[in-house]
């Protein structure tokens, strides 16, 4: 049931404050300001040497964000692969490896095959899954549920942000167990996560503006998304969403890679989305924006009030997000990114919930 929404995707975008709240409540102890994994989901991160993540599509981008978190907060090295590559590249899986699979449906063929590949040798098999009775959930040693509810739109939206919420909790938990995060530092991160549902409501408030700026976009034939740090995977996620929904060719790049090739694409016809909260590396992204602007590129900047102020009018359009702590930026900034592709597709008249050539669950290779 779409409720009052025109598409399932719109409904699912708007459900995010609520389902993020449900998902976080499962893993957070708000009173103790700590992460508390449900009894069935205990993992001893002290005995692990490495995390191997495999997933496909949007779930893979959630895993890429998690790599930054596990490495930063738990000092745990993470290797991440697209599942269709991982399963065939004969990578060694060794004792002390925690193999982690991320999947909304829990039925994706390549992700499942990667899980089975790890079975004999990994210390532990974990899965972040939205469908609790799915094959991946059943075959993993430990399943971390996302409580996103059924996701009907082919484009993953609420499952993605809920995956990020679970992975953030796991990274904090791992950091506490391994002694790389102090109790106070973990409590501060838990506070950051606790604010996510209300920050998501604020992020949704920019929808009217996004709808307006999406109209001219529907005439573009290419687009570029740039970000740094955890917003780099989000740039790739934005490009994937635009491709699958509006059939506009888009690429996501680490902003620092601009000079190494893609800057040659810049002209007045190329929309360049920049995902850049005002964080420690904002200055670096700002200089990338100046390079784009100097070549006539049309910048759509997604930032906060401080970033807007500092950007000094370099962007053609600016979408202002609430101030967010670093940890939760990729969760909150996912919402405008999703709305951009949604509204562009609506203007173009494509089939938003069932884009051509795509299936919700890819159970064949
Ligand atoms: O069910 P899964 O999370 O395993 O699906 C993985 C991908 O097929 C999926 O995320 C796909 O990329 C989406 N259509 C993206 O919006």
């Amino acid at each position: 049931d779409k409720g009052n929404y025109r598409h399932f995707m719109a409904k699912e975008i708007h459900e995010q404050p609520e389902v993020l709240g449900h998902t976080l409540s499962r893993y957070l102890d708000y009173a103790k300001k700590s992460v508390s994994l449900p009894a069935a989901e205990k993992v001893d991160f002290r005995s692990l040497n490495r995390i191997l993540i495999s997933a496909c599509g949007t779930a893979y981008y959630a895993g890429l964000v998690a790599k930054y978190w596990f490495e930063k907060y738990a000092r745990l090295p993470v290797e991440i692969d697209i599942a269709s590559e991982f399963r065939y590249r004969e990578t060694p899986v060794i004792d002390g490896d925690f193999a982690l699979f991320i999947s909304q449906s829990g039925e994706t063929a390549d992700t499942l095959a990667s899980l089975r590949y790890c079975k004999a040798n990994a210390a532990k098999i974990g899965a972040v899954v939205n469908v609790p009775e799915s094959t991946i959930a059943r075959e993993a040693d430990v399943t971390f549920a996302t409580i996103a509810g059924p996701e009907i739109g082919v484009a993953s939206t609420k499952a993605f942000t809920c995956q990020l919420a679970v992975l953030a909790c796991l990274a904090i938990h791992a950091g506490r167990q391994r002694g790389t995060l102090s109790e106070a530092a973990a409590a501060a991160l838990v506070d950051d996560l606790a604010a996510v549902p209300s920050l998501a409501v604020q992020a949704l408030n920019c929808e009217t503006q996004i709808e307006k700026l999406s109209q001219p976009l529907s005439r573009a034939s290419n687009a570029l998304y740039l970000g740094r740090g955890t917003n780099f995977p989000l740039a790739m996620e934005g490009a994937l969403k635009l491709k699958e929904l509006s059939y506009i060719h888009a690429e996501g790049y680490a902003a620092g890679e601009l000079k190494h090739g893609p800057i040659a694409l810049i002209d007045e016809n190329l929309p360049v989305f920049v995902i850049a909260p005002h964080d420690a590396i904002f200055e670096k992204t700002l200089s990338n924006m100046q390079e784009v602007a100097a070549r006539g590129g049309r910048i759509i900047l997604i930032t906060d009030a401080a970033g807007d102020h500092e950007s000094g009018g370099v962007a053609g359009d600016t979408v202002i997000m609430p101030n967010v702590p670093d940890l939760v930026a990729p969760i909150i900034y996912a919402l405008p990114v999703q709305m951009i592709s949604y509204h562009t597709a609506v203007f173009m008249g494509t089939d938003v919930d069932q884009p051509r050539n795509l299936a919700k669950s890819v159970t064949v290779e």
Side-chain angles (χ1 to χ4, degrees):
D1 175 23
K2 286 186 262 211
N4 292 326
Y5 293 97
R6 202 166 145 196
H7 301 99
F8 280 108
M9 185 182 178
K11 174 170 176 263
E12 289 161 4
I13 287 174
H14 284 267
E15 277 170 355
Q16 286 176 107
E18 192 188 340
V19 296
L20 282 164
H22 293 159
T23 301
L24 288 165
S25 308
R26 189 181 162 103
Y27 298 95
L28 296 183
D29 183 327
Y30 295 103
K32 292 196 188 133
K33 290 185 189 278
S34 66
V35 173
S36 137
L37 299 188
E41 294 166 31
K42 295 278 183 250
V43 176
D44 184 358
F45 282 95
R46 282 166 305 189
S47 61
L48 301 169
N49 300 323
R50 181 172 74 150
I51 304 183
L52 297 175
I53 300 180
S54 303
C56 300
T58 290
Y60 168 73
Y61 296 133
L64 270 181
V65 174
K67 174 182 166 78
Y68 286 77
W69 289 337
F70 280 114
E71 295 192 343
K72 177 174 179 180
Y73 298 121
R75 313 303 300 159
L76 198 50
V78 175
E79 279 198 35
I80 166 152
D81 279 280
I82 292 165
S84 56
E85 287 301 312
F86 180 85
R87 64 179 291 195
Y88 293 118
R89 77 181 168 90
E90 299 181 39
T91 188
V93 177
I94 47 184
D95 201 31
D97 281 347
F98 179 42
L100 185 60
F101 303 90
I102 308 167
S103 176
Q104 187 286 128
S105 62
E107 302 295 347
T108 300
D110 284 318
T111 310
L112 177 60
S114 299
L115 183 157
R116 289 177 176 159
Y117 174 84
C118 291
K119 266 248 150 124
N121 298 310
K124 196 141 194 137
I125 307 268
V128 176
V129 166
N130 195 44
V131 180
E133 60 279 5
S134 61
T135 314
I136 290 176
R138 279 201 314 272
E139 294 197 15
D141 300 327
V142 48
T143 297
F144 307 99
T146 49
I147 322 286
E151 191 180 65
I152 310 293
V154 163
S156 186
T157 53
K158 60 178 182 169
F160 173 67
T161 49
C162 288
Q163 285 160 355
L164 291 178
V166 170
L167 292 161
C169 292
L170 289 180
I172 297 169
H173 182 71
R176 281 302 291 138
Q177 281 190 331
R178 293 167 63 81
T180 51
L181 269 184
S182 68
E183 200 178 330
L189 294 172
V190 168
D191 276 341
D192 293 347
L193 285 174
V196 158
S198 67
L199 290 169
V201 170
Q202 292 178 53
L204 291 172
N205 287 339
C206 63
E207 182 153 25
T208 320
Q209 189 198 355
I210 286 187
E211 192 175 351
K212 273 200 208 106
L213 67 86
S214 299
Q215 196 160 9
L217 272 177
S218 54
R219 291 190 294 271
S221 36
N222 292 286
L224 194 59
Y225 285 74
L226 301 176
R228 283 177 186 260
T230 51
N231 296 303
F232 160 44
L234 191 54
M236 292 192 278
E237 164 62 5
L240 173 63
K241 287 274 104 80
L242 197 70
K243 278 183 274 214
E244 71 175 335
L245 290 167
S246 64
Y247 318 145
I248 294 173
H249 169 243
E251 288 198 58
Y253 256 96
E257 275 289 288
L258 193 64
K259 284 194 188 68
H260 300 279
I263 198 163
L265 295 170
I266 309 285
D267 64 15
E268 52 295 336
N269 299 318
L270 184 78
V272 180
F273 295 94
V274 181
I275 306 166
H278 190 261
D279 57 14
I281 39 177
F282 182 82
E283 294 294 320
K284 306 283 174 199
T285 311
L286 180 57
S287 65
N288 298 131
M289 286 192 275
Q290 283 153 350
E291 288 156 8
V292 171
R295 287 159 185 83
R298 187 170 152 253
I299 299 170
I300 302 113
L301 170 62
I302 311 174
T303 187
D304 46 32
D308 177 36
H309 181 74
E310 202 157 325
S311 67
V314 74
D317 286 291
T318 305
V319 178
I320 313 263
M321 290 288 98
N323 287 335
V324 298
D326 281 358
L327 171 69
V328 305
I331 306 180
I332 301 305
Y333 280 62
L335 277 56
V337 163
Q338 294 163 352
M339 291 190 284
I340 287 166
S341 52
Y342 172 75
H343 285 291
T344 306
V346 170
F347 275 118
M348 295 185 75
T350 57
D351 188 345
V352 172
D353 284 332
Q354 189 52 260
R356 67 184 183 199
N357 310 339
L358 285 170
K360 178 66 183 160
S361 174
V362 184
T363 54
V364 289
E365 274 190 64

